Amino acid sequence: MSETPEPSPVPGETTPHRRRPRYAGKYPRRFDEKYKEHNPQRYGETVAKVLASGKTPAGSHRPIMVAEILERLAPQPGGVAMDCTLGYGGHAREILPRLQPGGRLLGLDADPIELPKTEARLRALGFGPETFTAHRSNFAGLAQVLAAAGLPGADCILADLGVSSMQLDDPARGFSAKSDGPLDMRMNPQRGQPAAAFLEKVRPDAFAALLAENADEPYAPLLAPALAGRVFASTKALATAIRAVLPRLNRSDLDLSVRRVFQALRIAVNDEFSALETFLRHLPACLKPGGRVAVLSFHSGEDRRVKKAFDAGLRDGLYADIAHELIRPSPAERRDNPRSTPAKLRWARKAAA
Ligand SMILES: C[S@@+](CC[C@H](N)C(=O)[O-])C[C@H]1O[C@@H](n2cnc3c(N)ncnc32)[C@H](O)[C@@H]1O
């Protein structure tokens, strides 16, 4: 066990002396022990090193394809933007200055734990309530959020689907097999049932279908009867059970299956596809004439739905133009931020009046 006192405060600061958290070894390993990464204002150098190594500092999120999204959304001074998946606010903090003077951004997120932190972070960057408002809402309700704000429509709308790194990396949220935690996976832990309760109740045939639909899991017929109806107290317990069903797979194929089962469960627990379909249905009515939308998706189940909705909108004359090709992160971005690798960007532009 090693322990060193926290560095003395910056001259002029009156922070009381506190000892840093205890951890085994030279460097903190657990999410909650990485106190420097959780405090980028104070420990910028450590955070820069983590970023340079291609990792995401604990408690933060690296926005993906920022330049490509800004180019497609083209936010303008005086415009209204909706970031329907505010997350850490990485995209929002780039869009917001481009709306000034006179514009505003509505940031939506289902997560009641991270949303207030992001709101505070954006306020600290100087975005007051006249330019930025935070809304704890599922993006399926984007039309209601717009109406409650008294706005007829938005000039640009962004959805960056899935989970944030803050959610994924925090063991207490139970999204990942990488560290042990309760098998929860809810973006809003105040609603619905945790993944453990879902798994305990789901029937094997329904679970097999869900593994195939939500994650293209090739071993769904083997995994579903072995996992459905069982009680798993933790993420690690579920990961161990998945590995036990597929003993002949090599390590990297096993890791992929673990990831896919976790993804399929997360999508089910948060009812992600039905939220996405509702969002896509309401989109054209929420955009002003000529307004633009960009959607970043991370697996085929999401991208299929976005493509289908944009194709249908173009055919029906709701959209004047859509992305005809998928836009992927550059090789440099994939190298810098491996979490960007599966990202797929599509955009659409609403017909003018
Ligand atoms: C990939 S992160 C977004 C990161 C963000 N673009 C950034 O740069 O920091 C996805 C976020 O969307 C939220 N989310 C996912 N599904 C949602 C839904 N149906 N309604 C509202 N928020 C949702 C998650 O809670 C998470 O914070």
Side-chain angles (χ1 to χ4, degrees):
M1 177 106 60
S2 81
E3 189 175 18
T4 50
E6 272 208 20
S8 26
V10 187
E13 258 187 33
T14 52
T15 317
H17 176 82
R18 261 188 292 125
R19 299 192 85 79
R20 69 143 171 81
R22 287 163 184 269
Y23 49 79
K26 195 167 174 200
Y27 298 107
R29 295 164 68 93
R30 290 201 344 242
F31 178 83
D32 54 343
E33 292 170 343
K34 297 181 178 176
Y35 68 100
K36 292 190 177 176
E37 295 177 37
H38 283 287
N39 192 349
Q41 276 80 15
R42 183 154 189 176
Y43 300 105
E45 211 174 299
T46 303
V47 169
K49 275 190 203 150
V50 175
L51 288 168
S53 72
K55 295 196 180 120
T56 302
S60 72
H61 180 95
R62 302 175 72 175
I64 291 172
M65 297 178 81
V66 175
E68 293 85 344
I69 287 172
L70 289 172
E71 187 187 332
R72 270 66 189 196
L73 289 182
Q76 301 293 324
V80 172
M82 289 184 97
D83 183 344
C84 291
T85 49
L86 185 67
Y88 195 69
H91 291 106
R93 67 178 285 180
E94 295 296 331
I95 296 171
L96 268 160
R98 291 169 168 82
L99 301 170
Q100 305 317 320
R104 63 179 288 197
L105 179 139
L106 286 70
L108 279 60
D109 206 292
D111 186 337
I113 298 170
E114 293 298 331
L115 185 66
K117 299 184 210 166
T118 300
E119 182 178 9
R121 220 178 290 115
L122 290 170
R123 292 271 179 265
L125 289 173
F127 302 112
E130 65 297 341
T131 52
F132 164 67
T133 45
H135 306 262
R136 220 281 319 135
S137 167
N138 192 300
F139 56 54
L142 86 164
Q144 288 93 310
V145 174
L146 259 183
L151 293 165
D155 299 285
C156 34
I157 297 182
L158 170 65
D160 172 10
L161 303 174
V163 275
S164 66
S165 295
M166 297 86 78
Q167 294 166 328
L168 198 61
D169 295 340
D170 183 351
R173 305 296 301 264
F175 280 105
S176 160
K178 270 205 291 186
S179 45
D180 208 11
L183 190 59
D184 192 312
M185 301 195 185
R186 284 172 296 174
M187 292 185 198
N188 180 353
Q190 293 154 5
R191 299 249 169 96
Q193 58 179 347
F198 176 87
L199 207 41
E200 193 182 341
K201 284 184 224 144
V202 71
R203 288 163 43 97
D205 50 346
F207 193 47
L210 192 145
L211 289 173
E213 165 67 14
N214 293 7
D216 303 314
E217 173 52 50
Y219 302 104
L222 288 175
L223 288 163
L227 304 175
R230 281 179 62 188
V231 178
F232 294 101
S234 72
T235 51
K236 284 268 190 232
L238 174 59
T240 304
I242 297 167
R243 291 178 203 284
V245 178
L246 305 169
R248 293 217 175 84
L249 286 195
N250 65 39
R251 202 190 155 111
S252 70
D253 286 344
L254 255 180
D255 286 347
L256 281 176
S257 271
V258 170
R259 282 234 294 277
R260 286 191 296 255
V261 173
F262 273 65
Q263 173 184 304
L265 260 177
R266 188 203 85 210
I267 290 171
V269 163
N270 293 288
D271 212 0
E272 290 180 33
F273 288 157
S274 86
L276 178 59
E277 283 164 10
T278 308
F279 167 80
L280 291 166
R281 213 170 39 249
H282 287 291
L283 255 181
C286 293
L287 284 167
K288 288 188 198 164
R292 293 150 184 253
V293 54
V295 183
L296 258 185
S297 62
F298 291 85
H299 56 85
S300 57
E302 289 171 344
D303 183 56
R304 260 197 314 270
R305 286 169 170 82
V306 177
K307 179 177 185 319
K308 194 169 153 209
F310 286 1
D311 284 346
L314 183 67
R315 231 180 11 251
D316 298 344
L318 293 169
Y319 293 124
D321 199 7
I322 61 169
H324 295 284
E325 302 280 328
L326 263 182
I327 305 164
R328 307 295 304 258
S330 66
E333 176 162 15
R334 277 183 258 169
R335 231 180 2 257
D336 275 4
N337 179 11
R339 285 185 175 179
S340 71
T341 303
K344 296 172 180 149
L345 176 65
R346 290 190 187 274
W347 57 267
R349 181 161 48 81
K350 189 173 165 172

